[in-house]
Amino acid sequence: MSKSKTDKSRETRIDDEIIVDCYGEAERAMGWYYYLQDHLEFPFAAKCIAARSISPLKTGEAAEVVGMAPEVECEREMFVAIRWEKRKFGVPLAQLEGIKTSKETKEAIEDRRYWVARGYEF
């Protein structure tokens, strides 16, 4: 995976707010989980920007994001709970883009996308 250009202010926010004082994979995963839980303003509309074999969403489909998936589902990747076709289930946040979200929600989604694009891992 190619790495995106370094964004110093985003790197500082991630280091100082999200993974600060985290030692090991589990703590970094939970740092991300609680950051997203606190900064994503639920519910919000989103569209699928990348199909994934673990998700029924197709590129371009819309869904309502209603919360974070349970912590246990987010130990390796961040999942959000969506309401889609009268069902509620978890999908990877990385496959979604917010639609007309608040500034805070947009920034949190972009922080996570940046982390993944840079090839960082928990």
Side-chain angles (χ1 to χ4, degrees):
M1 172 184 283
S2 65
K3 290 190 176 187
S4 63
K5 185 177 175 184
T6 301
D7 179 331
K8 291 188 186 273
S9 65
R10 196 172 302 274
E11 291 275 346
T12 299
R13 182 173 43 260
I14 290 169
D15 288 344
D16 293 349
E17 293 182 39
I18 303 170
I19 59 170
V20 65
D21 296 330
C22 292
Y23 301 98
E25 294 176 12
E27 288 184 6
R28 282 190 296 276
M30 288 302 98
W32 270 106
Y33 183 89
Y34 290 112
Y35 170 76
L36 292 169
Q37 182 174 286
D38 291 345
H39 289 82
L40 297 176
E41 296 176 10
F42 303 108
F44 64 89
K47 73 175 179 177
C48 178
I49 58 169
R52 297 277 304 268
S53 63
I54 59 173
S55 170
L57 295 176
K58 296 177 184 172
T59 303
E61 283 188 298
E64 179 185 22
V65 180
V66 296
M68 292 297 295
E71 288 179 25
V72 68
E73 302 298 337
C74 297
E75 293 175 347
R76 296 278 179 240
E77 183 172 1
M78 291 295 112
F79 285 83
V80 289
I82 66 166
R83 192 175 342 262
W84 181 78
E85 292 190 3
K86 299 181 183 178
R87 294 181 290 154
K88 183 179 167 187
F89 53 88
V91 298
L93 177 61
Q95 82 170 136
L96 300 176
E97 178 179 84
I99 301 171
K100 296 181 183 176
T101 62
S102 69
K103 181 180 176 184
E104 185 174 27
T105 295
K106 181 179 180 183
E107 182 174 77
I109 293 169
E110 289 175 356
D111 285 348
R112 182 67 191 152
R113 186 169 292 121
Y114 173 84
W115 170 274
V116 171
R118 295 285 297 162
Y120 297 143
E121 298 179 359
F122 295 132

